[in-house]
């Protein structure tokens, strides 16, 4: 796991299942520093372990604290997640912005905590008063309540986006090698030759433009070597069928 990372603090969590779900979400996205403030059903909690589904080590190392003040005492900057307006004068940021700032703060050697409130009512104003900024998820204002595990998941995901090289799009080749330039060229020549024999490039004045258009088509296709072999085979079979008059 990443050496420099924020601490996620679950304040007075009520259900062991939600603690386990939060642990699993953290582990999914490379976070392993959890602190619990006065969990309602005590600690350890077997239901939390069951829902953690492989993230049990994170729970084993979770810090247990009696108060929010104690849980964030060693932190330099604290974010508090809440869905409700609080009438407090504090910066209000999205999870994405919070994790952007977290990364910058950690790079300066500062310690950062993110507070998550209990399931039924969220953080109290006394908890939020200890935070430097509020994290607000842009959800449907008519249904703003998020499950504890969901809220942790959103924040953990944004952290991962800040700290990992994630491509917005990639091509899965299913174990196949991409076709080389020469393989695609030979495929294009094969089709051009057979299409010419079939009288496809008509009228003759338009043939050069049609051939260029086909070349552009081949170059845009993310072909694998098996793809090229199949397309060669398709054309050969069609040619054989045509020669037999089928």
């Amino acid at each position: 796991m990443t050496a420099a990372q924020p601490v996620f603090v679950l304040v007075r969590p009520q259900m062991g299942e939600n603690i386990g779900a939060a642990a699993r979400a953290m582990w999914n996205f490379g976070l392993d520093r959890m602190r619990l403030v006065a969990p309602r059903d005590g600690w350890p909690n077997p239901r939390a372990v069951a829902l953690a589904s492989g993230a049990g080590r994170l729970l084993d190392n979770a810090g247990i604290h009696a108060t929010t003040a104690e849980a964030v005492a060693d932190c330099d900057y604290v974010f508090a997640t809440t869905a409700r307006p609080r009438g407090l004068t504090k910066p209000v940021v999205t999870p994405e912005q919070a994790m952007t700032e977290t990364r910058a703060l950690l790079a300066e050697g500062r310690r950062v905590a993110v507070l998550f409130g209990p399931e039924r009512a969220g953080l109290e104003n006394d908890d939020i008063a200890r935070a430097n900024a509020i994290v607000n998820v842009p959800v449907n204002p008519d249904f703003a309540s998020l499950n504890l595990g969901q809220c942790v998941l959103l924040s953990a995901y944004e952290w991962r986006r800040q700290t990992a090289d994630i491509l917005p799009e990639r091509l899965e080749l299913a174990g196949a090698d991409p076709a080389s330039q020469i393989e695609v060229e030979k495929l294009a020549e094969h089709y051009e030759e057979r299409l010419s024999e079939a009288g496809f490039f008509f009228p003759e004045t338009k043939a050069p433009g049609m051939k260029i258009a086909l070349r552009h088509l081949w170059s845009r296709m993310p072909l694998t070597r098996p793809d090229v072999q199949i397309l060669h085979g398709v054309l050969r079979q069609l040619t054989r069928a045509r020669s037999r008059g089928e």
Side-chain angles (χ1 to χ4, degrees):
M1 296 295 179
T2 307
Q5 61 176 256
V7 174
F8 278 19
V9 182
L10 311 189
V11 179
R12 298 180 296 279
Q14 297 170 322
M15 299 177 63
E17 291 87 345
N18 286 333
I19 299 173
R24 182 174 181 176
M26 289 176 64
W27 198 260
N28 282 151
F29 295 106
L31 292 163
D32 61 1
R33 299 180 185 176
M34 174 187 283
R35 295 178 184 176
L36 304 174
V37 175
R40 184 191 66 182
D41 297 335
W43 196 257
N45 188 313
R47 292 184 176 180
V49 175
L51 264 291
S53 187
R57 189 175 67 174
L58 189 155
L59 296 177
D60 292 340
N61 296 327
I64 309 300
H65 302 274
T67 65
T68 302
E70 179 184 316
V72 300
D74 62 340
C75 297
D76 303 302
Y77 201 92
V78 178
F79 290 98
T81 61
T82 179
R84 296 185 287 121
R86 301 291 183 145
L88 302 172
T89 304
K90 291 182 185 291
V92 179
V93 298
T94 63
E96 179 181 11
Q97 180 61 23
M99 292 300 104
T100 299
E101 294 178 14
T102 294
R103 184 182 184 185
L105 290 164
L106 292 170
E108 296 172 359
R110 303 174 72 183
R111 296 177 178 176
V112 180
V114 184
L115 303 179
F116 300 89
E119 295 88 324
R120 190 170 69 175
L123 293 168
E124 296 178 359
N125 282 350
D126 184 61
D127 302 310
I128 297 174
R130 304 180 187 283
N132 302 94
I134 291 173
V135 180
N136 188 258
V137 180
V139 295
N140 177 3
D142 295 326
F143 190 64
S145 178
L146 284 174
N147 175 273
L148 173 59
Q150 292 174 325
C151 193
V152 170
L153 179 73
L154 283 169
S155 298
Y157 167 70
E158 293 296 348
W159 167 255
R160 183 71 174 176
R161 290 182 63 209
Q162 291 295 321
T163 56
D165 294 327
I166 301 172
L167 297 174
E169 180 179 347
R170 68 179 188 273
L171 179 65
E172 292 285 353
L173 295 177
D177 292 326
S180 67
Q181 194 70 23
I182 188 62
E183 288 170 328
V184 176
E185 179 68 18
K186 292 297 183 183
L187 179 66
E189 290 176 357
H190 189 188
Y191 270 76
E192 188 174 308
E193 180 183 346
R194 295 292 179 261
L195 289 170
S196 293
E197 293 172 356
F200 176 78
F201 299 110
F202 181 84
E204 188 175 340
T205 55
K206 293 186 177 181
M210 295 172 71
K211 291 177 180 180
I212 290 174
L214 276 173
R215 293 294 176 124
H216 282 306
L217 184 151
W218 294 119
S219 67
R220 291 198 307 269
M221 296 174 66
L223 295 168
T224 65
R225 285 181 173 175
D227 292 336
V228 169
Q229 292 167 1
I230 288 173
L231 289 169
H232 275 300
V234 167
L235 191 54
R236 282 192 291 267
Q237 187 61 34
L238 289 172
T239 302
R240 291 192 193 103
R242 185 169 179 268
S243 66
R244 293 194 298 264
E246 295 178 5

